[in-house]
Amino acid sequence: MSNQKIIKQGEHLIVPDNPIIPFIEGDGIGKEIWTSVKKITDSAIEKAYKGKRNINWLEVLAGEKAFNKTGTWLPAETMEAFRDYLVGIKGPLTTPVGEGIRSLNVALRQELDLYVCLRPVRWFKGVATPLLQPEKVHVTIFRENTEDIYAGIEWNAGTPEVEKVLRFLKEEMGVAKIRFPETTSIGVKPVSSEGTERLVRAAVQYAIDNRLPSVTLVHKGNIMKFTEGGFKKWGYALAEREFGDKVFTAEKFKKIENEQGVDAAVKYYDDAISKGKVFIKDVIADAFLQNTLLKPEEYSVIATLNLNGDYISDQLAAMVGGIGIAPGGNINYKTGHAIFEATHGTAPDIAGQNKANPCSVLLSAVMMLEYLGWKEAGELITRALENMFQNGIATNDLARFMKNGISLSTTEFSEELIKRL
């Protein structure tokens, strides 16, 4: 089976015609969603490549299914399969309570060093949204996946550990701004230049490869000077150092404006845009959240830290119809490892009722196909989805808000989509 493995050679993935792809079915609605996604994906590959390509799906365990079968939430064999086969996909997972694991999703990302959480956000015509012009939203988010507060470094109030940390901060570091030390919990927010640079490098390269006009660094550097502020500083420096004449920066624009005047700065900007250069700019996170509602067309690629990226991803998804149609992938561009996933939860309240929306995992499968270089199959799925949504055909979570919406079960939705491939 070794010849069925995806391998990384230099900057490129070498993908056989019949690769082994590990998958995690997922908890709650995961089983019914995965059944549909697998069937649609296989049908699209067959349609696109006439039997010359296919995926050998390999189930691996995580979450409740793993715990019930093996007594552990994330078996070592699962992690090893993702390491070995490079590319995988997963449904939604339950986060175990009181088991010493904050999140299975976070554990997978950190163990495999999947430092980019890639979240493309776009609107499908026909999907109801709270925006008057949702077609203006077309954004790809690069969220740093391994640092920030998601590193999980914190100590609970009242414990000997937090007392030790507080004592160190007060006595050794001279910290005098902790207002209620007796009842304070402490968390640490690590942000490195290396972590920043590899994320921004991936975002800028993506913008160049896809001929997108800008990369925006979203941060709270006005408050967190050395962490979020460092992200901004290191991001700009990386873009200028490694991409040279392929980019131009807002900082350079401001410098020309200050030294030579507005007209010179505008000419510099217009010349750069006409040459296809990528504009590197930044914005404070709270202003960005407002701006995306007021002028979303100003943003194309976003690079941001972990916590900001969490908020941003969900807001932008809501702007185009909800997290049910929001795909995601976690990628290490250096090693080639990638896990594509549901961006929503397990929805236990509707599990087993054949009404779940499979589109988040399905569009994540499209991302996976694109990552493999199998874009033709991914495009078939995307076009079929566009056709269905334009005609008001969807699962109930979307159809109930569509004009003359036609609500289908999970199974019916999948069968209809396959007919339209």
Side-chain angles (χ1 to χ4, degrees), residues 13-252:
L13 285 182
I14 306 300
V15 182
D17 287 336
N18 55 346
I20 297 170
I21 303 286
F23 73 91
I24 296 170
E25 183 179 75
D27 298 324
I29 57 174
K31 181 178 178 63
E32 54 209 282
I33 283 177
W34 176 249
T35 299
S36 291
V37 169
K38 179 181 179 298
K39 190 173 180 180
I40 294 167
T41 304
D42 286 343
S43 297
I45 292 170
E46 171 63 30
K47 181 84 171 178
Y49 308 115
K50 313 298 183 187
K52 293 180 180 179
R53 289 176 173 172
N54 70 281
I55 290 176
N56 290 301
W57 299 105
L58 173 67
E59 183 174 13
V60 293
L61 301 178
E64 290 180 351
K65 190 172 183 179
F67 186 77
N68 292 336
K69 287 192 174 185
T70 70
T72 181
W73 292 91
L74 186 58
E77 294 83 0
T78 295
M79 197 66 73
E80 188 56 36
F82 283 125
R83 282 198 187 95
D84 199 23
Y85 294 108
L86 289 190
V87 178
I89 190 167
K90 57 175 283 297
L93 291 175
T94 298
T95 297
V97 178
E99 295 290 334
I101 300 176
R102 288 170 176 265
S103 164
L104 294 173
N105 297 322
V106 172
L108 284 164
R109 294 167 192 167
Q110 293 187 345
E111 284 290 324
L112 295 170
D113 197 24
L114 305 176
Y115 59 86
V116 169
C117 179
L118 185 65
R119 294 280 297 270
V121 182
R122 58 155 293 189
W123 178 63
F124 287 89
K125 187 176 181 180
V127 175
T129 86
L131 297 191
L132 291 174
Q133 296 178 299
E135 69 278 1
K136 291 184 176 181
V137 181
H138 209 297
V139 181
T140 303
I141 304 160
F142 281 72
R143 169 189 172 191
E144 204 288 320
N145 234 355
T146 63
E147 297 190 310
D148 203 354
I149 62 170
Y150 286 74
I153 307 169
E154 61 176 359
W155 300 274
N156 198 15
T159 63
E161 292 81 8
V162 83
E163 289 176 7
K164 187 175 182 179
V165 173
L166 288 166
R167 188 164 56 249
F168 170 78
L169 291 173
K170 181 180 179 181
E171 296 175 3
E172 301 292 330
M173 303 302 292
V175 174
K177 295 182 179 179
I178 299 175
R179 191 173 296 275
F180 304 109
E182 293 80 9
T183 58
T184 291
S185 296
I186 295 287
V188 176
K189 177 187 176 77
V191 178
S192 69
S193 59
E194 292 93 340
T196 296
E197 287 178 352
R198 65 183 185 173
L199 177 87
V200 174
R201 181 182 296 116
V204 175
Q205 189 63 58
Y206 181 90
I208 291 170
D209 292 344
N210 291 277
R211 299 182 179 181
L212 297 171
S214 68
V215 173
T216 305
L217 308 174
V218 182
H219 61 91
K220 279 293 290 181
N222 57 328
I223 304 299
M224 292 169 273
K225 307 291 186 182
F226 304 122
T227 51
E228 303 258 346
F231 175 82
K232 171 192 169 182
K233 180 180 73 174
W234 297 322
Y236 270 124
L238 178 282
E240 289 188 296
R241 183 175 71 247
E242 294 195 6
F243 294 95
D245 60 2
K246 294 180 180 178
V247 303
F248 68 109
T249 69
E251 291 189 336
K252 182 69 177 293

